[in-house]
Amino acid sequence: MRSRWRTASTRAGWRFPSDWGAPEVDEVCAAVLTGGDLLAALGDLARARAFAGADLDETLADLAALHAVLESRDESECLDLDTTPAALLRSVAVAWADAALSRLHAGDITDTLSGQANADYLRVRLGEIYAECRRKGVCPAERYVLLVATLDLTKVDGWSRLMAMVLVGDVLRSVFDGGESVAVLGPSVAVVLTERDPALAERAADARILIKDRLTVDPDLGPGATPEVRIQRLPAGEPAAVNLLRDISRA
């Protein structure tokens, strides 16, 4: 099946046959043959294609080639994307786009409007911490936490929303000024990656009070932008920590 797929993909326009093979190709083949999660395997392959520089048209043509092989059609014929099931197309397109965007912004660790460090920066720091803990044989969840500061900005419009998060970031950096990592994850969420210590609860309370005080200076923010500051335990594994960041950023 793998050989037929490669031949069909090359005929469909895969530009560099030497780079077609990838571990994710074998995962897709295994999913087909064993009845595994094909959508997940195709998503992994689409992300690998995007990171390798394959464009979306090429990636979708490769998918059409696979579908032709699975349907036992003559893969030498002109492949028609319209015959590829919508679920497969959507899974591959979404995964490719997600990876392409992350690749595009991989070097951009600050928000262009606010100048605050962003989720990409925090993911890098998390990766460094988890790697260090693995080397030392300790569990990151026992040494580090996330301090999460959120604002209810549902009644705040325009630039005031941006300024609110700038103020939150400034306060967090002033309170956590010992080398901790501070980042704004979303339009109303900021996070500090910090070590556990006996003074953490007191510093969290100080941050909440200072954020509230700073926000009251702006009449557009003070009445409605009530801050919530909480301490979030880190999971044991790095992938779960990355997923946690994504969930927090959409709070």
Side-chain angles (χ1 to χ4, degrees):
M1 186 187 80
R2 187 183 190 279
S3 177
R4 290 181 61 209
W5 179 13
R6 183 180 185 277
T7 298
S9 187
T10 301
R11 289 173 176 168
W14 190 265
R15 291 178 295 171
F16 304 104
S18 61
D19 71 359
W20 181 86
E24 291 80 5
V25 167
D26 296 326
E27 292 174 10
V28 170
C29 292
V32 171
L33 296 174
T34 64
D37 190 340
L38 180 58
L39 290 182
L42 286 172
D44 290 342
L45 177 60
R47 282 183 282 272
R49 297 303 197 202
F51 284 124
D55 62 31
L56 183 57
D57 286 341
E58 198 171 14
T59 302
L60 293 179
D62 184 48
L63 174 63
L66 171 64
H67 182 249
V69 168
L70 296 181
E71 293 295 305
S72 298
R73 297 200 308 272
D74 184 356
E75 53 264 27
S76 65
E77 295 178 358
C78 182
L79 300 176
D80 184 0
L81 283 182
D82 290 337
T83 65
T84 306
L88 300 185
L89 285 172
R90 183 181 185 280
S91 178
V92 167
V94 169
W96 183 93
D98 180 64
L101 286 174
S102 67
R103 181 173 177 259
L104 178 64
H105 298 296
D108 186 5
I109 61 171
T110 59
D111 179 81
T112 54
L113 290 177
S114 69
Q116 306 285 313
N118 61 19
D120 287 336
Y121 163 76
L122 203 57
R123 280 192 290 268
V124 171
R125 287 292 297 122
L126 275 175
E128 293 171 344
I129 283 174
Y130 275 79
E132 178 188 5
C133 288
R134 283 194 298 271
R135 180 171 59 82
K136 293 181 178 180
V138 298
C139 179
E142 296 176 356
R143 296 189 56 183
Y144 294 91
V145 297
L146 296 175
L147 182 132
V148 183
T150 60
L151 296 179
D152 181 0
L153 298 176
T154 55
K155 298 181 180 179
V156 180
D157 298 319
W159 283 97
S160 292
R161 294 176 63 94
L162 176 63
M163 288 309 302
M165 296 314 298
V166 172
L167 292 175
V168 171
D170 287 344
V171 168
L172 292 178
R173 278 191 295 274
S174 69
V175 175
F176 295 89
D177 59 352
E180 298 89 348
S181 301
V182 180
V184 174
L185 297 192
S188 60
V189 183
V191 169
V192 182
L193 175 59
T194 180
E195 290 189 72
R196 294 174 177 271
D197 65 62
L200 181 58
E202 181 180 354
R203 297 167 80 190
D206 289 344
R208 185 185 184 282
I209 293 171
L210 287 173
I211 290 171
K212 182 62 177 177
D213 288 346
R214 292 285 297 274
L215 294 178
T216 56
V217 175
D218 187 335
D220 293 328
L221 296 175
T226 302
E228 176 189 343
V229 178
R230 62 184 174 85
I231 296 173
Q232 173 71 54
R233 181 183 175 90
L234 279 176
E238 184 179 347
V242 173
N243 290 335
L244 176 62
L245 284 188
R246 183 170 59 248
D247 292 341
I248 290 173
S249 67
R250 304 185 70 176

